[in-house]
Amino acid sequence: MNMEKRANVAVFASGTGSNFDAIMNSPDRNFDVVRLVSDKPKAHVIGKAASFGIQTIVFDPSDYEDKSAYEQELLEQLKRARVEWIVLAGYMRVLGETILDEYKGKIINIHPSLLPSFRGIDAVGQALDAGVKVSGVTIHYVDEGIDTGEIIAQEAVTVFPHDTKESLQRRIQQVEHNIYPRVLNKLTKE
Ligand code: GRF
């Protein structure tokens, strides 16, 4: 029996949760997902977490005075759950210093482009508009900027002339679902 301690991870997501699904279903996952955090009380991903038996932390930022107020409460819940790593998977909010300071070097994001190209929202649309022949996926550490943190891993995806946003996004997500669990396994073991 492997007695090594498994890392405790919280996944933050605001939407569909296909990356959350991929992480949960990854057969050789060597870390534990102990919380799903969502800022969207109606997000699809919340139902997915329930089906995996993962406890959720759901909050509506508009119920709070400001970002530091909800992040302070969130931080307390993360600590109580002994969360060591924060994994952003379609979390549509910029983290503030309350969380960033406490989890320095332990927050990871996945972005659907080859950073530093096409930061921010609609990276797939941005790539198509720019006419690039290659786009891809980047996994990076999170800092105070938007998609600016140190790059951990990247994988290229060819853009075909007939690609639509939907078709390119589908192929990019297939890559995401494969690379994210693999990279997280490696990082959380170090
Ligand atoms: C992913 O494509 C990821 O790159 C981006 O947000 C999307 C989330 O998709 N940051 P899902 O909710 O995991 O399906």
Side-chain angles (χ1 to χ4, degrees):
M1 196 165 90
N2 183 2
M3 298 300 284
E4 249 177 63
K5 194 200 159 297
R6 290 162 69 92
N8 282 345
V9 167
V11 176
F12 284 36
S14 305
T16 315
S18 67
N19 279 282
F20 172 74
D21 242 346
I23 291 166
M24 293 310 300
N25 284 323
S26 135
D28 53 357
R29 179 163 46 83
N30 60 18
F31 54 88
D32 292 323
V33 178
V34 295
R35 290 293 182 276
L36 181 275
V37 174
S38 187
D39 60 323
K40 291 272 187 305
K42 291 188 177 149
H44 195 62
V45 68
I46 295 169
K48 289 189 174 171
S51 72
F52 284 108
I54 304 295
Q55 283 191 50
T56 54
I57 302 174
V58 182
F59 62 96
D60 185 343
S62 66
D63 292 341
Y64 296 81
E65 203 173 311
D66 55 21
K67 185 181 293 225
S68 77
Y70 70 72
E71 285 202 343
Q72 191 53 50
E73 196 175 300
L74 179 54
L75 184 60
E76 281 158 26
Q77 299 200 53
L78 296 174
K79 298 235 133 182
R80 227 174 292 141
R82 298 186 190 288
V83 169
E84 300 166 276
W85 289 85
I86 293 176
V87 169
L88 307 186
Y91 184 66
M92 299 305 285
R93 246 162 230 287
V94 179
L95 292 179
E97 58 185 17
T98 308
I99 303 273
L100 287 172
D101 287 353
E102 196 67 31
Y103 281 93
K104 213 167 245 145
K106 297 277 187 176
I107 311 177
I108 314 298
N109 183 40
I110 190 160
H111 184 77
S113 77
L114 293 177
L115 291 173
S117 293
F118 314 127
R119 290 179 169 133
I121 57 164
D122 193 20
V124 177
Q126 290 185 55
L128 282 178
D129 289 348
V132 293
K133 303 295 179 204
V134 178
S135 190
V137 173
T138 302
I139 296 171
H140 64 95
Y141 288 106
V142 174
D143 62 13
E144 58 288 339
I146 296 177
D147 305 319
T148 50
E150 186 193 332
I151 292 171
I152 300 165
Q154 292 188 303
E155 194 168 319
V157 174
T158 301
V159 181
F160 299 125
H162 58 264
D163 259 327
T164 60
K165 213 159 103 171
E166 289 67 34
S167 64
L168 179 56
Q169 181 152 323
R170 206 174 312 121
R171 289 203 315 287
I172 284 181
Q173 286 218 323
Q174 281 168 0
V175 170
E176 290 186 340
H177 300 162
N178 182 268
I179 193 175
Y180 215 8
R182 271 194 292 123
V183 169
L184 292 173
N185 259 353
K186 197 158 171 285
L187 278 174
T188 55
K189 209 165 59 184
E190 282 165 2

